[in-house]
PDB file of all heavy atoms in Angstrom:
ATOM      1  N   HIS B   1     161.515 129.239  27.021  1.00 69.00           N
ATOM      2  CA  HIS B   1     160.047 129.229  27.044  1.00 69.00           C
ATOM      3  C   HIS B   1     159.492 128.583  28.315  1.00 69.00           C
ATOM      4  O   HIS B   1     158.319 128.706  28.629  1.00 69.00           O
ATOM      5  CB  HIS B   1     159.504 128.510  25.804  1.00 69.00           C
ATOM      6  CG  HIS B   1     159.870 127.068  25.742  1.00 69.00           C
ATOM      7  ND1 HIS B   1     161.143 126.645  25.385  1.00 69.00           N
ATOM      8  CD2 HIS B   1     159.152 125.953  26.009  1.00 69.00           C
ATOM      9  CE1 HIS B   1     161.191 125.330  25.420  1.00 69.00           C
ATOM     10  NE2 HIS B   1     159.979 124.879  25.787  1.00 69.00           N
ATOM     11  N   LEU B   2     160.350 127.902  29.062  1.00 71.00           N
ATOM     12  CA  LEU B   2     159.906 127.231  30.277  1.00 71.00           C
ATOM     13  C   LEU B   2     160.043 128.116  31.514  1.00 71.00           C
ATOM     14  O   LEU B   2     159.597 127.730  32.590  1.00 71.00           O
ATOM     15  CB  LEU B   2     160.708 125.935  30.486  1.00 71.00           C
ATOM     16  CG  LEU B   2     160.583 124.910  29.354  1.00 71.00           C
ATOM     17  CD1 LEU B   2     161.542 123.753  29.589  1.00 71.00           C
ATOM     18  CD2 LEU B   2     159.154 124.404  29.262  1.00 71.00           C
ATOM     19  N   ARG B   3     160.649 129.278  31.353  1.00 70.00           N
ATOM     20  CA  ARG B   3     160.861 130.152  32.513  1.00 70.00           C
ATOM     21  C   ARG B   3     159.532 130.675  33.048  1.00 70.00           C
ATOM     22  O   ARG B   3     158.636 131.037  32.303  1.00 70.00           O
ATOM     23  CB  ARG B   3     161.758 131.318  32.130  1.00 70.00           C
ATOM     24  CG  ARG B   3     163.150 130.870  31.806  1.00 70.00           C
ATOM     25  CD  ARG B   3     164.059 132.064  31.666  1.00 70.00           C
ATOM     26  NE  ARG B   3     165.354 131.605  31.174  1.00 70.00           N
ATOM     27  CZ  ARG B   3     166.017 132.171  30.201  1.00 70.00           C
ATOM     28  NH1 ARG B   3     165.555 133.238  29.623  1.00 70.00           N
ATOM     29  NH2 ARG B   3     167.158 131.678  29.812  1.00 70.00           N
ATOM     30  N   VAL B   4     159.454 130.768  34.375  1.00 68.00           N
ATOM     31  CA  VAL B   4     158.233 131.173  35.045  1.00 68.00           C
ATOM     32  C   VAL B   4     158.115 132.697  35.135  1.00 68.00           C
ATOM     33  O   VAL B   4     157.026 133.245  35.137  1.00 68.00           O
ATOM     34  CB  VAL B   4     158.161 130.543  36.458  1.00 68.00           C
ATOM     35  CG1 VAL B   4     156.888 130.939  37.162  1.00 68.00           C
ATOM     36  CG2 VAL B   4     158.315 129.046  36.381  1.00 68.00           C
ATOM     37  N   HIS B   5     159.227 133.418  35.148  1.00 68.00           N
ATOM     38  CA  HIS B   5     159.201 134.850  35.411  1.00 68.00           C
ATOM     39  C   HIS B   5     158.691 135.701  34.242  1.00 68.00           C
ATOM     40  O   HIS B   5     158.544 136.894  34.372  1.00 68.00           O
ATOM     41  CB  HIS B   5     160.594 135.333  35.843  1.00 68.00           C
ATOM     42  CG  HIS B   5     161.594 135.310  34.729  1.00 68.00           C
ATOM     43  ND1 HIS B   5     162.260 134.170  34.374  1.00 68.00           N
ATOM     44  CD2 HIS B   5     162.012 136.281  33.897  1.00 68.00           C
ATOM     45  CE1 HIS B   5     163.066 134.433  33.363  1.00 68.00           C
ATOM     46  NE2 HIS B   5     162.935 135.710  33.057  1.00 68.00           N
ATOM     47  N   ILE B   6     158.386 135.112  33.101  1.00 65.00           N
ATOM     48  CA  ILE B   6     157.878 135.873  31.961  1.00 65.00           C
ATOM     49  C   ILE B   6     156.417 136.215  32.224  1.00 65.00           C
ATOM     50  O   ILE B   6     155.582 135.342  32.448  1.00 65.00           O
ATOM     51  CB  ILE B   6     158.009 135.077  30.650  1.00 65.00           C
ATOM     52  CG1 ILE B   6     159.487 134.809  30.362  1.00 65.00           C
ATOM     53  CG2 ILE B   6     157.361 135.827  29.499  1.00 65.00           C
ATOM     54  CD1 ILE B   6     159.734 133.952  29.139  1.00 65.00           C
ATOM     55  N   LEU B   7     156.137 137.513  32.171  1.00 71.00           N
ATOM     56  CA  LEU B   7     154.776 137.974  32.452  1.00 71.00           C
ATOM     57  C   LEU B   7     153.894 137.779  31.227  1.00 71.00           C
ATOM     58  O   LEU B   7     154.360 137.948  30.086  1.00 71.00           O
ATOM     59  CB  LEU B   7     154.800 139.453  32.835  1.00 71.00           C
ATOM     60  CG  LEU B   7     155.628 139.794  34.073  1.00 71.00           C
ATOM     61  CD1 LEU B   7     155.674 141.303  34.256  1.00 71.00           C
ATOM     62  CD2 LEU B   7     155.016 139.136  35.301  1.00 71.00           C
ATOM     63  N   PRO B   8     152.640 137.460  31.414  1.00 73.00           N
ATOM     64  CA  PRO B   8     151.739 137.318  30.263  1.00 73.00           C
ATOM     65  C   PRO B   8     151.494 138.686  29.615  1.00 73.00           C
ATOM     66  O   PRO B   8     151.589 139.729  30.273  1.00 73.00           O
ATOM     67  CB  PRO B   8     150.459 136.748  30.871  1.00 73.00           C
ATOM     68  CG  PRO B   8     150.515 137.129  32.309  1.00 73.00           C
ATOM     69  CD  PRO B   8     151.960 137.205  32.683  1.00 73.00           C
ATOM     70  N   PHE B   9     151.191 138.667  28.342  1.00 76.00           N
ATOM     71  CA  PHE B   9     150.929 139.904  27.611  1.00 76.00           C
ATOM     72  C   PHE B   9     149.658 140.546  28.176  1.00 76.00           C
ATOM     73  O   PHE B   9     148.649 139.870  28.367  1.00 76.00           O
ATOM     74  CB  PHE B   9     150.746 139.587  26.123  1.00 76.00           C
ATOM     75  CG  PHE B   9     150.815 140.797  25.250  1.00 76.00           C
ATOM     76  CD1 PHE B   9     152.032 141.370  24.942  1.00 76.00           C
ATOM     77  CD2 PHE B   9     149.662 141.379  24.740  1.00 76.00           C
ATOM     78  CE1 PHE B   9     152.109 142.486  24.130  1.00 76.00           C
ATOM     79  CE2 PHE B   9     149.718 142.492  23.939  1.00 76.00           C
ATOM     80  CZ  PHE B   9     150.954 143.054  23.632  1.00 76.00           C
ATOM     81  N   PRO B  10     149.712 141.865  28.446  1.00 80.00           N
ATOM     82  CA  PRO B  10     148.530 142.503  29.050  1.00 80.00           C
ATOM     83  C   PRO B  10     147.352 142.550  28.068  1.00 80.00           C
ATOM     84  O   PRO B  10     147.530 142.564  26.860  1.00 80.00           O
ATOM     85  CB  PRO B  10     149.023 143.906  29.386  1.00 80.00           C
ATOM     86  CG  PRO B  10     150.186 144.126  28.500  1.00 80.00           C
ATOM     87  CD  PRO B  10     150.796 142.795  28.226  1.00 80.00           C
ATOM     88  N   ARG B  11     146.162 142.629  28.629  1.00 86.00           N
ATOM     89  CA  ARG B  11     144.958 142.726  27.800  1.00 86.00           C
ATOM     90  C   ARG B  11     144.896 144.102  27.169  1.00 86.00           C
ATOM     91  O   ARG B  11     145.310 145.093  27.758  1.00 86.00           O
ATOM     92  CB  ARG B  11     143.710 142.507  28.650  1.00 86.00           C
ATOM     93  CG  ARG B  11     143.506 141.058  29.047  1.00 86.00           C
ATOM     94  CD  ARG B  11     142.027 140.903  29.343  1.00 86.00           C
ATOM     95  NE  ARG B  11     141.421 139.648  29.276  1.00 86.00           N
ATOM     96  CZ  ARG B  11     141.319 138.826  28.241  1.00 86.00           C
ATOM     97  NH1 ARG B  11     141.901 139.084  27.141  1.00 86.00           N
ATOM     98  NH2 ARG B  11     140.637 137.721  28.323  1.00 86.00           N
ATOM     99  N   ILE B  12     144.356 144.161  25.977  1.00 87.00           N
ATOM    100  CA  ILE B  12     144.225 145.422  25.253  1.00 87.00           C
ATOM    101  C   ILE B  12     142.918 146.090  25.654  1.00 87.00           C
ATOM    102  O   ILE B  12     141.867 145.449  25.685  1.00 87.00           O
ATOM    103  CB  ILE B  12     144.264 145.177  23.732  1.00 87.00           C
ATOM    104  CG1 ILE B  12     145.637 144.618  23.349  1.00 87.00           C
ATOM    105  CG2 ILE B  12     143.953 146.442  22.962  1.00 87.00           C
ATOM    106  CD1 ILE B  12     145.770 144.251  21.895  1.00 87.00           C
ATOM    107  N   ASN B  13     142.993 147.387  25.930  1.00 90.00           N
ATOM    108  CA  ASN B  13     141.818 148.163  26.282  1.00 90.00           C
ATOM    109  C   ASN B  13     141.111 148.552  24.983  1.00 90.00           C
ATOM    110  O   ASN B  13     141.551 149.442  24.256  1.00 90.00           O
ATOM    111  CB  ASN B  13     142.251 149.409  27.069  1.00 90.00           C
ATOM    112  CG  ASN B  13     141.078 150.250  27.504  1.00 90.00           C
ATOM    113  OD1 ASN B  13     139.961 150.098  27.011  1.00 90.00           O
ATOM    114  ND2 ASN B  13     141.334 151.144  28.441  1.00 90.00           N
ATOM    115  N   GLU B  14     140.015 147.863  24.683  1.00 91.00           N
ATOM    116  CA  GLU B  14     139.319 148.077  23.410  1.00 91.00           C
ATOM    117  C   GLU B  14     138.792 149.498  23.269  1.00 91.00           C
ATOM    118  O   GLU B  14     138.789 150.067  22.175  1.00 91.00           O
ATOM    119  CB  GLU B  14     138.191 147.063  23.256  1.00 91.00           C
ATOM    120  CG  GLU B  14     138.698 145.648  23.062  1.00 91.00           C
ATOM    121  CD  GLU B  14     137.561 144.655  22.901  1.00 91.00           C
ATOM    122  OE1 GLU B  14     136.483 145.034  22.414  1.00 91.00           O
ATOM    123  OE2 GLU B  14     137.771 143.483  23.277  1.00 91.00           O
ATOM    124  N   GLY B  15     138.355 150.100  24.346  1.00 93.00           N
ATOM    125  CA  GLY B  15     137.858 151.484  24.309  1.00 93.00           C
ATOM    126  C   GLY B  15     138.956 152.444  23.889  1.00 93.00           C
ATOM    127  O   GLY B  15     138.752 153.340  23.063  1.00 93.00           O
ATOM    128  N   ARG B  16     140.161 152.253  24.454  1.00 92.00           N
ATOM    129  CA  ARG B  16     141.291 153.138  24.121  1.00 92.00           C
ATOM    130  C   ARG B  16     141.719 152.957  22.661  1.00 92.00           C
ATOM    131  O   ARG B  16     142.062 153.913  21.980  1.00 92.00           O
ATOM    132  CB  ARG B  16     142.459 152.858  25.078  1.00 92.00           C
ATOM    133  CG  ARG B  16     143.667 153.712  24.850  1.00 92.00           C
ATOM    134  CD  ARG B  16     143.387 155.176  25.163  1.00 92.00           C
ATOM    135  NE  ARG B  16     144.575 155.961  24.899  1.00 92.00           N
ATOM    136  CZ  ARG B  16     144.577 157.151  24.335  1.00 92.00           C
ATOM    137  NH1 ARG B  16     143.443 157.731  24.030  1.00 92.00           N
ATOM    138  NH2 ARG B  16     145.696 157.775  24.105  1.00 92.00           N
ATOM    139  N   VAL B  17     141.682 151.726  22.174  1.00 90.00           N
ATOM    140  CA  VAL B  17     142.019 151.454  20.772  1.00 90.00           C
ATOM    141  C   VAL B  17     141.054 152.196  19.862  1.00 90.00           C
ATOM    142  O   VAL B  17     141.460 152.841  18.885  1.00 90.00           O
ATOM    143  CB  VAL B  17     142.006 149.932  20.481  1.00 90.00           C
ATOM    144  CG1 VAL B  17     142.105 149.656  18.993  1.00 90.00           C
ATOM    145  CG2 VAL B  17     143.129 149.230  21.227  1.00 90.00           C
ATOM    146  N   GLN B  18     139.755 152.153  20.165  1.00 93.00           N
ATOM    147  CA  GLN B  18     138.758 152.856  19.352  1.00 93.00           C
ATOM    148  C   GLN B  18     138.991 154.363  19.378  1.00 93.00           C
ATOM    149  O   GLN B  18     138.866 155.042  18.360  1.00 93.00           O
ATOM    150  CB  GLN B  18     137.338 152.516  19.819  1.00 93.00           C
ATOM    151  CG  GLN B  18     136.894 151.118  19.466  1.00 93.00           C
ATOM    152  CD  GLN B  18     136.935 150.870  17.959  1.00 93.00           C
ATOM    153  OE1 GLN B  18     136.641 151.743  17.152  1.00 93.00           O
ATOM    154  NE2 GLN B  18     137.329 149.671  17.584  1.00 93.00           N
ATOM    155  N   GLU B  19     139.343 154.905  20.561  1.00 93.00           N
ATOM    156  CA  GLU B  19     139.635 156.339  20.675  1.00 93.00           C
ATOM    157  C   GLU B  19     140.806 156.726  19.769  1.00 93.00           C
ATOM    158  O   GLU B  19     140.747 157.729  19.047  1.00 93.00           O
ATOM    159  CB  GLU B  19     139.986 156.703  22.121  1.00 93.00           C
ATOM    160  CG  GLU B  19     138.824 156.758  23.075  1.00 93.00           C
ATOM    161  CD  GLU B  19     139.305 157.032  24.500  1.00 93.00           C
ATOM    162  OE1 GLU B  19     140.325 157.742  24.676  1.00 93.00           O
ATOM    163  OE2 GLU B  19     138.663 156.520  25.426  1.00 93.00           O
ATOM    164  N   LEU B  20     141.877 155.933  19.817  1.00 90.00           N
ATOM    165  CA  LEU B  20     143.055 156.219  18.993  1.00 90.00           C
ATOM    166  C   LEU B  20     142.729 156.143  17.501  1.00 90.00           C
ATOM    167  O   LEU B  20     143.189 156.963  16.702  1.00 90.00           O
ATOM    168  CB  LEU B  20     144.194 155.261  19.343  1.00 90.00           C
ATOM    169  CG  LEU B  20     144.831 155.448  20.721  1.00 90.00           C
ATOM    170  CD1 LEU B  20     145.786 154.306  21.029  1.00 90.00           C
ATOM    171  CD2 LEU B  20     145.556 156.780  20.794  1.00 90.00           C
ATOM    172  N   LEU B  21     141.914 155.156  17.114  1.00 90.00           N
ATOM    173  CA  LEU B  21     141.511 155.041  15.710  1.00 90.00           C
ATOM    174  C   LEU B  21     140.702 156.261  15.274  1.00 90.00           C
ATOM    175  O   LEU B  21     140.913 156.805  14.188  1.00 90.00           O
ATOM    176  CB  LEU B  21     140.696 153.765  15.491  1.00 90.00           C
ATOM    177  CG  LEU B  21     141.471 152.456  15.493  1.00 90.00           C
ATOM    178  CD1 LEU B  21     140.514 151.274  15.434  1.00 90.00           C
ATOM    179  CD2 LEU B  21     142.442 152.407  14.336  1.00 90.00           C
ATOM    180  N   GLN B  22     139.774 156.690  16.123  1.00 91.00           N
ATOM    181  CA  GLN B  22     138.952 157.859  15.783  1.00 91.00           C
ATOM    182  C   GLN B  22     139.809 159.119  15.678  1.00 91.00           C
ATOM    183  O   GLN B  22     139.610 159.938  14.777  1.00 91.00           O
ATOM    184  CB  GLN B  22     137.839 158.050  16.823  1.00 91.00           C
ATOM    185  CG  GLN B  22     136.803 156.948  16.835  1.00 91.00           C
ATOM    186  CD  GLN B  22     136.128 156.764  15.474  1.00 91.00           C
ATOM    187  OE1 GLN B  22     135.896 157.720  14.757  1.00 91.00           O
ATOM    188  NE2 GLN B  22     135.851 155.519  15.117  1.00 91.00           N
ATOM    189  N   GLU B  23     140.769 159.286  16.586  1.00 89.00           N
ATOM    190  CA  GLU B  23     141.672 160.441  16.519  1.00 89.00           C
ATOM    191  C   GLU B  23     142.478 160.430  15.229  1.00 89.00           C
ATOM    192  O   GLU B  23     142.633 161.453  14.561  1.00 89.00           O
ATOM    193  CB  GLU B  23     142.637 160.442  17.721  1.00 89.00           C
ATOM    194  CG  GLU B  23     142.017 160.834  19.028  1.00 89.00           C
ATOM    195  CD  GLU B  23     143.014 160.700  20.175  1.00 89.00           C
ATOM    196  OE1 GLU B  23     144.240 160.682  19.937  1.00 89.00           O
ATOM    197  OE2 GLU B  23     142.547 160.608  21.327  1.00 89.00           O
ATOM    198  N   GLY B  24     142.994 159.271  14.870  1.00 86.00           N
ATOM    199  CA  GLY B  24     143.776 159.146  13.635  1.00 86.00           C
ATOM    200  C   GLY B  24     142.935 159.451  12.407  1.00 86.00           C
ATOM    201  O   GLY B  24     143.388 160.129  11.483  1.00 86.00           O
ATOM    202  N   LEU B  25     141.696 158.948  12.370  1.00 87.00           N
ATOM    203  CA  LEU B  25     140.807 159.225  11.243  1.00 87.00           C
ATOM    204  C   LEU B  25     140.485 160.710  11.147  1.00 87.00           C
ATOM    205  O   LEU B  25     140.468 161.286  10.056  1.00 87.00           O
ATOM    206  CB  LEU B  25     139.512 158.420  11.374  1.00 87.00           C
ATOM    207  CG  LEU B  25     139.609 156.940  11.039  1.00 87.00           C
ATOM    208  CD1 LEU B  25     138.304 156.224  11.378  1.00 87.00           C
ATOM    209  CD2 LEU B  25     139.931 156.763   9.567  1.00 87.00           C
ATOM    210  N   ALA B  26     140.256 161.356  12.291  1.00 86.00           N
ATOM    211  CA  ALA B  26     139.944 162.788  12.298  1.00 86.00           C
ATOM    212  C   ALA B  26     141.137 163.585  11.769  1.00 86.00           C
ATOM    213  O   ALA B  26     140.972 164.530  10.995  1.00 86.00           O
ATOM    214  CB  ALA B  26     139.569 163.246  13.702  1.00 86.00           C
ATOM    215  N   ARG B  27     142.346 163.197  12.179  1.00 83.00           N
ATOM    216  CA  ARG B  27     143.547 163.901  11.697  1.00 83.00           C
ATOM    217  C   ARG B  27     143.763 163.684  10.207  1.00 83.00           C
ATOM    218  O   ARG B  27     144.131 164.597   9.488  1.00 83.00           O
ATOM    219  CB  ARG B  27     144.771 163.415  12.463  1.00 83.00           C
ATOM    220  CG  ARG B  27     145.146 164.340  13.596  1.00 83.00           C
ATOM    221  CD  ARG B  27     146.472 163.953  14.201  1.00 83.00           C
ATOM    222  NE  ARG B  27     146.181 163.083  15.330  1.00 83.00           N
ATOM    223  CZ  ARG B  27     146.770 161.927  15.598  1.00 83.00           C
ATOM    224  NH1 ARG B  27     147.737 161.502  14.831  1.00 83.00           N
ATOM    225  NH2 ARG B  27     146.419 161.211  16.626  1.00 83.00           N
ATOM    226  N   SER B  28     143.518 162.454   9.733  1.00 79.00           N
ATOM    227  CA  SER B  28     143.772 162.161   8.318  1.00 79.00           C
ATOM    228  C   SER B  28     142.732 162.800   7.403  1.00 79.00           C
ATOM    229  O   SER B  28     142.999 163.042   6.235  1.00 79.00           O
ATOM    230  CB  SER B  28     143.824 160.659   8.084  1.00 79.00           C
ATOM    231  OG  SER B  28     142.546 160.085   8.272  1.00 79.00           O
ATOM    232  N   GLN B  29     141.539 163.091   7.909  1.00 81.00           N
ATOM    233  CA  GLN B  29     140.489 163.720   7.092  1.00 81.00           C
ATOM    234  C   GLN B  29     140.910 165.120   6.669  1.00 81.00           C
ATOM    235  O   GLN B  29     140.653 165.548   5.563  1.00 81.00           O
ATOM    236  CB  GLN B  29     139.177 163.768   7.869  1.00 81.00           C
ATOM    237  CG  GLN B  29     138.685 162.417   8.304  1.00 81.00           C
ATOM    238  CD  GLN B  29     137.558 161.910   7.458  1.00 81.00           C
ATOM    239  OE1 GLN B  29     136.849 162.673   6.868  1.00 81.00           O
ATOM    240  NE2 GLN B  29     137.410 160.604   7.400  1.00 81.00           N
ATOM    241  N   GLY B  30     141.582 165.852   7.552  1.00 72.00           N
ATOM    242  CA  GLY B  30     141.983 167.220   7.254  1.00 72.00           C
ATOM    243  C   GLY B  30     143.341 167.309   6.580  1.00 72.00           C
ATOM    244  O   GLY B  30     143.706 168.338   6.025  1.00 72.00           O
ATOM    245  N   ALA B  31     144.097 166.229   6.602  1.00 66.00           N
ATOM    246  CA  ALA B  31     145.449 166.253   6.032  1.00 66.00           C
ATOM    247  C   ALA B  31     145.393 166.008   4.531  1.00 66.00           C
ATOM    248  O   ALA B  31     144.504 165.323   4.028  1.00 66.00           O
ATOM    249  CB  ALA B  31     146.301 165.183   6.701  1.00 66.00           C
ATOM    250  N   PRO B  32     146.359 166.575   3.772  1.00 65.00           N
ATOM    251  CA  PRO B  32     146.404 166.295   2.329  1.00 65.00           C
ATOM    252  C   PRO B  32     146.769 164.826   2.100  1.00 65.00           C
ATOM    253  O   PRO B  32     147.410 164.206   2.944  1.00 65.00           O
ATOM    254  CB  PRO B  32     147.506 167.234   1.824  1.00 65.00           C
ATOM    255  CG  PRO B  32     148.335 167.542   3.021  1.00 65.00           C
ATOM    256  CD  PRO B  32     147.415 167.457   4.198  1.00 65.00           C
ATOM    257  N   PRO B  33     146.352 164.266   0.973  1.00 59.00           N
ATOM    258  CA  PRO B  33     146.645 162.853   0.713  1.00 59.00           C
ATOM    259  C   PRO B  33     148.152 162.617   0.622  1.00 59.00           C
ATOM    260  O   PRO B  33     148.893 163.454   0.128  1.00 59.00           O
ATOM    261  CB  PRO B  33     145.955 162.577  -0.630  1.00 59.00           C
ATOM    262  CG  PRO B  33     145.734 163.910  -1.242  1.00 59.00           C
ATOM    263  CD  PRO B  33     145.639 164.898  -0.119  1.00 59.00           C
ATOM    264  N   ALA B  34     148.560 161.477   1.141  1.00 56.00           N
ATOM    265  CA  ALA B  34     149.982 161.134   1.108  1.00 56.00           C
ATOM    266  C   ALA B  34     150.410 160.815  -0.316  1.00 56.00           C
ATOM    267  O   ALA B  34     149.678 160.199  -1.085  1.00 56.00           O
ATOM    268  CB  ALA B  34     150.241 159.925   2.004  1.00 56.00           C
ATOM    269  N   THR B  35     151.596 161.269  -0.683  1.00 55.00           N
ATOM    270  CA  THR B  35     152.121 160.999  -2.018  1.00 55.00           C
ATOM    271  C   THR B  35     153.427 160.247  -1.888  1.00 55.00           C
ATOM    272  O   THR B  35     154.126 160.359  -0.898  1.00 55.00           O
ATOM    273  CB  THR B  35     152.368 162.306  -2.794  1.00 55.00           C
ATOM    274  OG1 THR B  35     153.275 163.118  -2.047  1.00 55.00           O
ATOM    275  CG2 THR B  35     151.067 163.055  -3.024  1.00 55.00           C
ATOM    276  N   ARG B  36     153.739 159.501  -2.924  1.00 52.00           N
ATOM    277  CA  ARG B  36     154.998 158.765  -2.941  1.00 52.00           C
ATOM    278  C   ARG B  36     156.137 159.729  -3.187  1.00 52.00           C
ATOM    279  O   ARG B  36     155.976 160.759  -3.812  1.00 52.00           O
ATOM    280  CB  ARG B  36     154.984 157.714  -4.044  1.00 52.00           C
ATOM    281  CG  ARG B  36     154.084 156.544  -3.704  1.00 52.00           C
ATOM    282  CD  ARG B  36     154.188 155.482  -4.717  1.00 52.00           C
ATOM    283  NE  ARG B  36     155.517 154.898  -4.646  1.00 52.00           N
ATOM    284  CZ  ARG B  36     155.969 154.023  -5.498  1.00 52.00           C
ATOM    285  NH1 ARG B  36     155.225 153.632  -6.482  1.00 52.00           N
ATOM    286  NH2 ARG B  36     157.183 153.541  -5.392  1.00 52.00           N
ATOM    287  N   GLY B  37     157.305 159.348  -2.758  1.00 58.00           N
ATOM    288  CA  GLY B  37     158.478 160.184  -2.913  1.00 58.00           C
ATOM    289  C   GLY B  37     159.092 160.114  -4.302  1.00 58.00           C
ATOM    290  O   GLY B  37     160.036 160.834  -4.587  1.00 58.00           O
ATOM    291  N   ASP B  38     158.590 159.224  -5.163  1.00 65.00           N
ATOM    292  CA  ASP B  38     159.171 159.099  -6.493  1.00 65.00           C
ATOM    293  C   ASP B  38     158.900 160.351  -7.304  1.00 65.00           C
ATOM    294  O   ASP B  38     157.793 160.877  -7.319  1.00 65.00           O
ATOM    295  CB  ASP B  38     158.572 157.900  -7.231  1.00 65.00           C
ATOM    296  CG  ASP B  38     158.912 156.589  -6.549  1.00 65.00           C
ATOM    297  OD1 ASP B  38     159.915 156.560  -5.813  1.00 65.00           O
ATOM    298  OD2 ASP B  38     158.180 155.614  -6.761  1.00 65.00           O
TER     299      ASP B  38
END
């Protein structure tokens, strides 16, 4: 944990996260509901 060469975690692009969420919601709206394998 004392090593200097570890890069900090990059910042998250909030706009891109929102785009991905909207795409996922759009895909799930048209897809049939997920069912359990039992």
Side-chain angles (χ1 to χ4, degrees):
H1 64 284
L2 300 173
R3 293 190 188 134
V4 181
H5 70 278
I6 297 176
L7 300 174
F9 194 77
R11 286 203 157 300
I12 296 176
N13 182 345
E14 291 180 29
R16 181 66 181 140
V17 170
Q18 288 301 323
E19 285 176 32
L20 291 171
L21 286 173
Q22 294 303 324
E23 286 175 20
L25 284 173
R27 262 189 266 133
S28 68
Q29 302 257 335
T35 58
R36 287 186 67 187
D38 296 337

